[in-house]
């Protein structure tokens, strides 16, 4: 009974490159959430997706960031033209289908370092 | 902005109960209180949640005051592995009908040998 999987666990990029972070939800979960955590801070909500739909992206920066959750395969958080300020831990969470059971289960995170 | 306030840090002796308080004075009637913890820099781990009744599971107990403006997470016999940052969360509704979590800075619990 695997939990939420994220890869890579560590990612190093130079300024201007693209970063792609992947998240596979728990089996049976069709809701995915992405959060960002800066050092010594709490997690900040970025985006909520269901299969093939972005439901809420109120926490996403307006530029360079995008997210998708295709019908097949993992959810992808993409950061284009990375800058040093994008260095952070990015966590994905998933929850079961249906609004009555919204407990979110988190993955181990991807630590992005921008040189 | 977080809808909860927690003390920034606490110490607890190993084997003793750890009582972590949380204030959520603006909570509305149908909002749940969730507790998670983050050990070192791992992903947050779900602990427990509740609405108005006290809850207990294999990890912890959650005591919610009658007016629901505060709650306490109790780890009955803290071990060194319970050293972590503990987050008390009140969910914020999204227009989609589901919720997002707003994390504050949490309480850094250190269990001492």
């Amino acid at each position: 009974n695997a939990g939420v999987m994220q890869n890579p666990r560590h990612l190093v990029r130079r300024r201007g490159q693209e970063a792609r972070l992947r998240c596979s939800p728990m089996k049976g979960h069709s809701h995915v959430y992405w959060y960002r955590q800066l050092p010594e801070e709490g997690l900040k909500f970025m985006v909520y997706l269901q299969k093939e739909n972005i439901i809420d992206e109120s926490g996403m920066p307006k530029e360079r960031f995008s997210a998708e959750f295709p019908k097949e395969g993992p959810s992808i958080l993409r950061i284009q033209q990375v800058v040093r300020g994008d260095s952070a831990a990015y966590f994905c969470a998933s929850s079961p289908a249906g609004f009555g059971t919204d407990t979110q289960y988190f993955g181990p995170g991807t630590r992005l370092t921008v040189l | 902005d977080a809808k909860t306030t927690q003390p920034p840090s606490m110490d607890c002796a190993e084997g003793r109960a750890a009582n972590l308080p949380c204030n959520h004075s603006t909570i509305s009637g149908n909002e749940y209180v969730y507790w998670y913890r983050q050990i070192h820099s791992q992903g947050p781990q779900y602990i427990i949640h509740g609405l108005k009744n006290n809850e207990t599971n294999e990890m912890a107990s959650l005591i919610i005051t009658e007016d629901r403006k505060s709650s306490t997470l109790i780890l009955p016999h803290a071990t060194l592995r319970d050293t972590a940052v503990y987050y008390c969360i009140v969910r914020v509704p999204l227009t989609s009908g589901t919720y997002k979590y707003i994390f504050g800075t949490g309480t850094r619990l250190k269990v001492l040998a």
Side-chain angles (χ1 to χ4, degrees):
Chain A
N1 188 17
V4 178
M5 311 279 283
Q6 289 188 250
N7 66 80
R9 297 290 305 277
H10 300 273
L11 183 61
V12 179
R13 286 286 178 266
R14 296 190 180 280
R15 281 180 296 170
Q17 292 184 319
E18 178 179 285
R20 280 179 160 239
L21 289 64
R22 287 177 290 277
C23 169
S24 297
M26 286 178 70
K27 188 176 180 180
H29 289 192
S30 60
H31 299 213
V32 166
Y33 311 79
W34 285 93
Y35 293 81
R36 176 165 63 176
Q37 185 175 32
L38 296 172
E40 303 303 319
E41 294 186 11
L43 281 72
K44 298 279 194 293
F45 168 79
M46 298 180 76
V47 62
Y48 159 48
L49 309 103
Q50 292 181 20
K51 284 283 187 183
E52 300 185 276
N53 286 303
I54 296 174
I55 305 303
D56 188 292
E57 53 184 348
S58 56
M60 286 277 271
K62 294 288 186 281
E63 297 176 350
R64 302 187 297 109
F65 285 72
S66 62
E68 62 178 13
F69 190 14
K71 187 176 180 180
E72 302 291 337
S75 175
I76 306 285
L77 178 68
R78 182 187 302 169
I79 311 172
Q80 296 178 300
Q81 300 176 329
V82 296
V83 301
R84 289 226 174 97
D86 297 332
S87 294
Y90 292 82
F91 292 97
C92 164
S94 72
S95 67
F99 299 137
T101 51
D102 266 320
T103 299
Q104 296 179 20
Y105 297 91
F106 285 81
T110 293
R111 273 140 196 89
L112 172 67
T113 301
V114 179
L115 302 178
Chain B
D1 292 330
K3 296 176 68 173
T4 61
T5 55
Q6 299 175 254
S9 63
M10 292 181 64
D11 290 342
C12 177
E14 189 179 19
R16 304 296 293 268
N19 298 294
L20 293 94
C22 178
N23 287 323
H24 31 79
S25 57
T26 60
I27 194 171
S28 64
N30 60 351
E31 289 181 352
Y32 284 77
V33 179
Y34 278 76
W35 283 84
Y36 284 76
R37 71 180 181 185
Q38 189 172 25
I39 297 173
H40 195 43
S41 296
Q42 300 174 20
Q45 178 189 22
Y46 166 76
I47 301 174
I48 200 167
H49 72 284
L51 182 62
K52 50 177 89 167
N53 297 323
N54 298 336
E55 302 288 344
T56 295
N57 63 21
E58 65 279 3
M59 288 183 70
S61 294
L62 176 61
I63 308 297
I64 302 175
T65 58
E66 194 169 338
D67 64 6
R68 304 208 328 116
K69 293 186 176 183
S70 65
S71 60
T72 301
L73 179 75
I74 301 172
L75 308 177
H77 306 287
T79 71
L80 298 178
R81 287 178 296 180
D82 292 322
T83 293
V85 178
Y86 287 76
Y87 295 101
C88 168
I89 297 164
V90 174
R91 304 179 307 179
V92 174
L94 296 170
T95 55
S96 58
T98 188
Y99 299 88
K100 65 180 179 184
Y101 292 168
I102 302 224
F103 285 78
T105 50
T107 295
R108 190 173 296 274
L109 175 70
K110 184 183 284 188
V111 180
L112 305 172

